[in-house]
Amino acid sequence: MKIGISVVGTTDDQELVGLYRWMARDHVLTRRNRISTVTAASAPGEQGGALEAINAVAGNAIALSSLVVAVLAHRRNGPADRSRGTVRIERDGIVVSIEPGSELSAEEIIERLTREPLSDEDTPGGSQP
């Protein structure tokens, strides 16, 4: 399953860079997940674009679990600054947002991410048969 991780609500990419470095040092996580980065296109004259997202491919629920635990560990071991951004984890259109100070557990996040997305017929305002 493809997972996208981003940080919103910050003016630079340092929080996301720190999260990527944290994840890359976790040998259990990198054995179970393939992680890579997505960078923004750089403007003319710039050395490189800012980090926009982390992409991960998790082969099973255990791999997804290790990914979520790593994200939460990074959040909880970092500075308790409320000005930090909100971490967004996305899978197949399902987004879980982890705001600064959030008490979401790994189990809650995994449960939300592994739910089947609603079809248009199931969503309010969706098409009717």
Side-chain angles (χ1 to χ4, degrees), residues 75-129:
R75 285 301 273 198
R76 293 184 177 142
N77 288 312
D81 184 0
R82 290 241 179 237
S83 67
R84 292 175 76 186
T86 298
V87 174
R88 295 184 59 203
I89 304 174
E90 181 174 354
R91 180 194 150 259
D92 294 334
I94 300 169
V95 177
V96 177
S97 296
I98 307 167
E99 297 178 7
S102 172
E103 295 297 322
L104 279 174
S105 70
E107 293 83 9
E108 290 171 307
I109 295 168
I110 294 163
E111 180 181 318
R112 291 179 189 182
L113 289 172
T114 55
R115 280 190 205 140
E116 291 301 315
L118 298 174
S119 66
D120 283 344
E121 292 81 25
D122 296 334
T123 57
S127 60
Q128 298 295 322

Side-chain angles (χ1 to χ4, degrees), residues 11 14 19 22-23 27 29 42 50 60 64 76 79 90 97 115 119 127-128:
T11 57
Q14 291 308 301
L19 175 58
W22 176 276
M23 293 168 63
H27 298 293
L29 181 136
S42 59
N60 56 39
L64 175 62
R76 293 184 177 142
E90 181 174 354
S97 296
R115 280 190 205 140
S119 66
S127 60
Q128 298 295 322

Side-chain angles (χ1 to χ4, degrees), residues 11-81:
T11 57
D12 62 28
D13 66 351
Q14 291 308 301
E15 190 170 351
L16 191 58
V17 168
L19 175 58
Y20 176 75
R21 288 179 180 156
W22 176 276
M23 293 168 63
R25 286 191 305 259
D26 185 332
H27 298 293
V28 173
L29 181 136
T30 56
R31 272 197 312 262
R32 294 182 176 159
N33 297 277
R34 286 184 291 151
I35 60 171
S36 61
T37 58
V38 178
T39 55
S42 59
E46 289 184 358
Q47 286 187 332
L51 184 61
E52 283 190 343
I54 299 168
N55 285 335
V57 177
N60 56 39
I62 293 171
L64 175 62
S65 298
S66 67
L67 185 70
V68 170
V69 167
V71 170
L72 289 176
H74 180 265
R75 285 301 273 198
R76 293 184 177 142
N77 288 312
D81 184 0

